[in-house]
Structures are given as structure tokens and as C-alpha cells.
Amino acid sequence: MADSKSAPRPLKPSTMMMGHGYDPALSEGSLKPPIFLTSTFAFENAAAGKRHFEGITGKRPGGADGLVYSRFNGPNQEILEDRLSIWDGAEDALCFSSGMTAICVLMLTYCSAGDVIIHSGPLYAATEGFVAKTLAKFGVSYIDFPAGASSEELDDVIARARAQAADQGGKLAMIYLESPGNPTNALVDIEAVSAARDAALGTDHACPIAIDNTFLGPLWQRPLDHGADIVVYSLTKYVGGHSDLVAGSVAGAKKWIDPVRMLRNTMGGIADPNTAWMLLRSLETVELRMSRAGENAARVCAFLKGHPKIERLGYLGMIDDARQQDIYDRHCTGAGSTFSVFIRGGEAECFRFLDALRIAKLAVSLGGTETLASHPASMTHLSVPDPRKVSLGISDNLVRISIGIEDADDLIADFEQALDAV
Ligand SMILES: *Cc1c(COP(=O)(O)O)cnc(C)c1O
């Protein structure tokens, strides 16, 4: 941490990604952190061992003050967590073996039998499934609201959730958001959600607002600045950024993160040392990669926009709804590089387009260095019932694209020839 202390002014996150939280003198002068492959850590003496366990078990507040056992913590993971906190302006962060592990452990931490969880829709399909099927087994129910909801709709959904919780002998346990929604790209007004929650519950409550920021974070949206309490990531996407690892994280104030850490200590699910090391490497370039991908997406969308074979685009840089534009202007600093293309026709036309692509690869996922394309209706969202598909706008002519960091002109030429083949 010497870098932040000796600096004459606060350093920017990109600068801090090179050294923050790591002291080479503790590792034989190794400029980069070694990968610490160990399952356990030697205590200096018995009293230190006792002190560490008092922290781990919660007998003493503040958590472990040293390294104990690799299901709880490790050097690579702790450096990663320090650096992840910086991007979101969070007090603390925790890394997990996948985005879904992070989400499941977070929800299990905050929800008890009888409780109600409010969530925006649509959510990542596995998250929706976890809420609707798994949490339901433990007596936790949910109410969802459409991503673009107004303040009045938010007040109403909170009132309904509290009434439902009272009926079930529980409480409103969490408001869980995902913004933008996939594949609609509908934005949630985090500031309005926070104002509605505070108006209903006051300041002394146990109902955090958590948000999955995978699509725009950490560069283009900082939810903690807009009233969210906990920010969630699939680090598999932009943060990892090279389509070569799976990991997740949560970040926020210590008071919200400490209980999650306790359950992670019990269940496991911490990212392994090798993955944590890979993520440290990824974080050094995350701003470069995301900036380039965002610029590429803007150029590709400018090309696609007027194309005769394209009906419309779902791209945050070209919003046609005034309320959504207002949310965007208040919350986002960039339009991202993942968007929807509605091709004139249906599945057959989309498949011809996808099969003709040469540079863009046909795969689900997003946020990698390479451009990916997929067909949600027949792939990621195949199991979504038809009426819900219609209400979410997941039509047969929708292609989902995540733009990478290739040369923009090469990408445009690839999309042009693929559209010719439609
Ligand atoms: C991929 C993804 C997840 C799940 O993350 P994994 O790392 O695959 O477990 C959750 N939310 C969003 C928005 C995602 O894109």
C-alpha cells in the first residue's frame, strides 16, 4: 500500500492495478506476486493462531487479521480483493469461484425463511432460477419488477413485498438488481430504487440493495455512487476479459460484506490462487480493454444502424426512450460493448448471419478480447417460456453481440459480408 500513502494526490484505479496491496519485499523481491499454492498457513505462535480463529469465527469483530487456511483467505485472493474494491470505491470485496457462487452465497447470507426478495427483471437466467426455485425451497419468496420501472412502480412493489413478508412472518430481505438487463439492455434507475427503499424503511434497516454490474462494470457504471450497497460481478466477463477463467465477486461497505465472508468461510467458494493471479494480470489492462471494446462497439453500431437488413439495435449508445436516456445520463459513463441486433426476418435469417461470420465467434458469454455472437432465443434463453420471451423482447430475430478489441474496420467488414449472406 506504499503507493497510495506516498502519493501526493489520490491515484487513479489504473495506476493502482500495478502494485496496490502487494509488497515485493515479502516475496523475495519478486516484482509480481507469486502464486501461493498452499492449503494452510503457519502461525507465528499459538496465541496468534487463537487470535486468527477469533476473527474467522466472529468472536472478535473485524475478521481474520492474518492468513489461516485457504478456504478462508490467501495472499493472491487478498490482493485481488483490495484491487477490486478500488474500482467500485468499496470498503471491502470478496472473490468467488464463479459469478453464480458469489450471487448464491450473497442471497443465502441475507435471506431467511419467510423473507421476500425484490428483484428487477430480467435477471441472468441462473440467478432467476436460484431465486425462484432454490430460495423457494427454504421459504423465501420474491416479487419482480421490470427494469425500467418508475418511482411510483418502485414504491408499489416495495409496499407489496413488505405486506407479503408480514404475511409470511418474514421481512423484506434484499433488493436485487441487474442493469442493464440481458438481452433487453433496459436500465434500472438505481437512484430511484435507493430513494424508494429509504422512504419505506428509513436509515436503520437490514435490506441491502445489491446489483449485478457485470455488463457495465467496473468502467462504465459505479453503482455504489448511486445508492446501491453491494455490487456483484461475474469476473468471467469484462474483468477477466480473455475468456479463459471463471470467477465472481461482491463488494461494498464492510458491514454488508462481513456476513457474506462468514458464509463463504463456511461454504467455501473462494476463487483459487491461480485464478486470482490471472485476474490480477487482467486488472492491469481492464481499462485499456474496455475502452477499446467500447470504441469498437460505437463504430460497429454506427455501421449497423442504417443497414437495410437491420430492423433496429438495442445499444446503450443509441437509446430512443427519454426515461431510459435520463437513467443512462445519470448512471453510466459509457455504452459498453454488448448489444442486441434485430435482423429483418427470424431465426433462419439470424442463423445465416451467424454462420457467415468469420472473425466474430459463435459463443455465449461476453466481455472478452474477441468478438462473440449468439442467438438468445435458441441458446441462452431457450428454456424461457414463450409468453415471458415476448414480454422480455427476446424475439427470434435477435442476435446478441459482444464486441472485442480487434481492429474496428475488420469487424465492420466481417459484419458487412455476413449481412450480405442473410
Ligand atoms: C455470466 C453472468 C453471470 C454468472 O457468472 P459466472 O461467472 O458464469 O458464474 C451472472 N450475471 C451476469 C450478468 C452474467 O453475464
Side-chain angles (χ1 to χ4, degrees), residues 98-100 103 124 127 178 212 214-215 234 236-237 246-247 366:
S98 75
M100 280 317 301
I103 292 164
Y124 185 72
T127 310
E178 188 172 314
D212 184 333
T214 299
F215 277 89
S234 168
T236 310
K237 314 296 165 54
V246 174
L366 62 127

Side-chain angles (χ1 to χ4, degrees), residues 229-253:
D229 301 298
I230 299 167
V231 59
V232 178
Y233 286 99
S234 168
L235 302 174
T236 310
K237 314 296 165 54
Y238 285 100
V239 176
H242 298 71
S243 308
D244 56 5
L245 61 83
V246 174
S249 67
V250 300

Side-chain angles (χ1 to χ4, degrees), residues 139-192:
V140 178
S141 64
Y142 71 93
I143 301 188
D144 63 344
F145 67 90
S150 66
S151 296
E152 296 71 40
E153 289 171 294
L154 292 168
D155 291 339
D156 174 62
V157 79
I158 289 175
R160 281 193 288 128
R162 293 180 78 199
Q164 185 166 315
D167 276 353
Q168 296 170 182
K171 62 181 183 306
L172 171 56
M174 173 178 272
I175 302 179
Y176 185 90
L177 314 174
E178 188 172 314
S179 181
N182 174 25
T184 57
N185 267 5
L187 292 167
V188 178
D189 190 338
I190 307 166
E191 291 171 356

Side-chain angles (χ1 to χ4, degrees), residues 53 127 185 226 337 374 393:
F53 268 90
T127 310
N185 267 5
H226 301 283
S337 79
S374 66

